[in-house]
Amino acid sequence: MPQRPGAPVGAGAVLDLLAERAAAAPEPVAGPRVVAVDGRSGSGKTHLAQLLAARLGAPVLHLDELYPGWDGLAAGVRVLEREVLVPLREGRVASPPRWDWVAGRPGPRVTVPPAPVLVVEGVGAGCTRVRPHLLVWVGAGERVRRQRALRRDGEVFAPHWRRWAAQERELFARCDARAAADVVLSSDPRGEPSGGAAGTGARWRVVRG
């Protein structure tokens, strides 16, 4: 890990840190250790969660599958708590309803695969009353985040950016997930040629960890 706070580090060092922190989390009485990766749209959560899940051999649950539409951020967080985290914490099977974005209605329930660790990724992943065993916040500047989100989702996301951003502001005004996070990372490229959290040469800065 970097010797000075905020020094840029590669993906391997970040994954070493998160794997170590996940392993050190208390053993749950029932269910998996839950690692939540939170942050605003375009911050690099999905990329990091996928890398971490591969490193840990863990399934990853994307909250994009649970939000009930473009106005459903807060509702999706409630689905995560009620349909995933509470059942797992009680030793039961979690089978949340997945949102059908094409039809605009709830889709079939899908069972969360049993595993020692579950990675949960998405805006609001750290905003449930059932606290994850490890909470990671990923941040970046608004301009960088918007560019990434629109590059990733193109015209699908563009008309909804402002309304979704407003929901993010409201959620994080009530739930300061960054302050509560065990590890805080920045994926802002700061002019680095790797372009931040996208690509195999991705670099982060460890703000707190």
Side-chain angles (χ1 to χ4, degrees):
M1 299 310 300
Q3 303 208 352
R4 55 189 177 85
V9 295
V14 169
L15 295 177
D16 286 345
L17 169 65
L18 299 182
E20 179 181 331
R21 295 297 301 272
E27 185 76 26
V29 175
R33 287 187 174 98
V34 175
V35 178
V37 182
D38 204 341
R40 298 189 64 173
S41 295
S43 61
K45 303 181 302 300
T46 302
H47 181 67
L48 178 62
Q50 289 171 335
L51 292 177
L52 182 59
R55 170 67 178 270
L56 299 177
V60 57
L61 175 64
H62 301 284
L63 295 195
D64 286 352
E65 301 177 358
L66 305 185
Y67 304 129
W70 289 110
D71 297 306
L73 174 52
V77 173
R78 291 193 293 270
V79 171
L80 170 65
E81 178 177 318
R82 183 180 66 250
E83 303 285 353
V84 178
L85 299 181
V86 168
L88 291 178
R89 193 64 58 93
E90 295 177 349
R92 297 185 284 118
V93 174
S95 299
R98 305 297 175 97
W99 184 256
D100 186 333
W101 286 88
V102 175
R105 61 173 181 262
R109 291 179 177 268
V110 181
T111 300
V112 176
V117 179
L118 172 66
V119 177
V120 178
E121 172 274 322
V123 180
C127 287
T128 60
R129 288 172 295 180
V130 180
R131 180 173 170 79
H133 299 90
L134 178 67
L135 175 56
V136 182
W137 174 271
V138 185
E142 183 175 1
R143 181 182 61 83
V144 171
R145 292 190 298 99
R146 189 174 192 277
Q147 287 177 343
R148 286 181 186 154
L150 298 186
R151 183 169 61 240
R152 179 191 64 204
D153 297 326
E155 296 305 314
V156 175
F157 196 178
H160 307 287
W161 173 265
R162 290 181 183 274
R163 67 198 278 200
W164 190 259
Q167 293 174 78
E168 291 180 339
R169 287 193 296 271
E170 181 179 351
L171 176 67
F172 291 128
R174 293 185 284 103
C175 162
D176 193 345
R178 187 186 189 281
D182 304 292
V183 178
V184 176
L185 305 173
S186 171
S187 66
D188 200 314
R190 290 193 167 188
E192 294 176 23
S194 68
T200 56
R203 300 180 71 81
W204 285 267
R205 289 181 297 113
V206 180
V207 179
R208 185 174 74 240

